[in-house]
Amino acid sequence: MSYAIERKFLLDALPEITAAAEPTHIDQGYLAVTDDLEVRVRARGGDHLLTVKGGRGEVRREVTIELSEEQFDQLWELTDGRRIRKRRWVLPTDDDVEIEVDRFADHLDGLLIAEVEFASEDDSRAFTPPDWFGREITDDDRYRNAALATDDPRR
């Protein structure tokens, strides 16, 4: 089992640097969600994945399994009413980390979130967000993707 160490931030606008990067389209649906566990399927750039995430906040357990397109399609049907669609730009930084900028669609149209993954908790603590980042939402459960699949926290 691996761990994901990540921080999330709201954005007011897409940064200009996204113009040079090609976004990928992501369809993501949730099969099960509890207070401490999420089971999701995701289609991204020809990849089909099943991911189980455990825990909350900055450090979470994570297991990902590759699916065939047929397996994904069968599971996707079970996510009706618990889905998000987004475009993602991956932006390199001088700090050897990547910033993932997500622009959401459908019921979340216009929502912009930046996410940064780290190799260690020390790296996470040492990270200084760029000026174009907004408020940190890492510990705000309303902005977990599983919560976004059913609700818009801006309402």
Side-chain angles (χ1 to χ4, degrees), residues 19-72:
E22 189 66 33
T24 57
H25 179 81
I26 297 172
D27 287 322
Q28 190 165 292
Y30 288 83
L31 296 164
V33 178
T34 68
D35 285 343
D36 253 8
L37 188 71
E38 300 170 6
V39 181
R40 75 169 189 222
V41 291
R42 174 187 274 181
R44 177 183 182 186
D47 291 330
H48 301 89
L49 305 169
L50 171 74
T51 300
V52 179
K53 288 189 172 194
R56 298 171 93 165
E58 183 181 350
V59 180
R60 302 175 71 194
R61 296 177 314 277
E62 187 173 303
V63 176
T64 299
I65 300 167
E66 289 187 42
L67 300 173
S68 69
E69 187 172 356
E70 181 181 340
Q71 290 170 319
F72 172 84

Side-chain angles (χ1 to χ4, degrees), residues 25-139:
H25 179 81
I26 297 172
D27 287 322
Q28 190 165 292
Y30 288 83
L31 296 164
V33 178
T34 68
D35 285 343
D36 253 8
L37 188 71
E38 300 170 6
V39 181
R40 75 169 189 222
V41 291
R42 174 187 274 181
R44 177 183 182 186
D47 291 330
H48 301 89
L49 305 169
L50 171 74
T51 300
V52 179
K53 288 189 172 194
R56 298 171 93 165
E58 183 181 350
V59 180
R60 302 175 71 194
R61 296 177 314 277
E62 187 173 303
V63 176
T64 299
I65 300 167
E66 289 187 42
L67 300 173
S68 69
E69 187 172 356
E70 181 181 340
Q71 290 170 319
F72 172 84
D73 290 342
Q74 290 173 354
L75 292 171
W76 183 253
E77 291 178 23
L78 302 173
T79 67
D80 190 35
R82 295 178 310 277
R83 296 176 179 165
I84 55 175
R85 289 183 337 116
K86 57 189 176 180
R87 293 175 59 175
R88 173 171 286 172
W89 289 264
V90 179
L91 311 173
T93 69
D94 295 335
D95 301 333
D96 291 328
V97 297
E98 290 181 334
I99 298 170
E100 297 174 340
V101 174
D102 291 338
R103 181 181 192 135
F104 291 81
D106 301 330
H107 70 284
L108 298 168
D109 189 41
L111 178 64
L112 295 165
I113 294 178
E115 186 174 294
V116 185
E117 285 198 31
F118 302 94
S120 71
E121 290 180 70
D122 287 341
D123 290 347
S124 176
R125 283 189 288 274
F127 177 72
T128 302
D131 292 341
W132 51 272
F133 275 27
R135 173 171 67 92
E136 184 163 3
I137 55 173
T138 301
D139 294 319

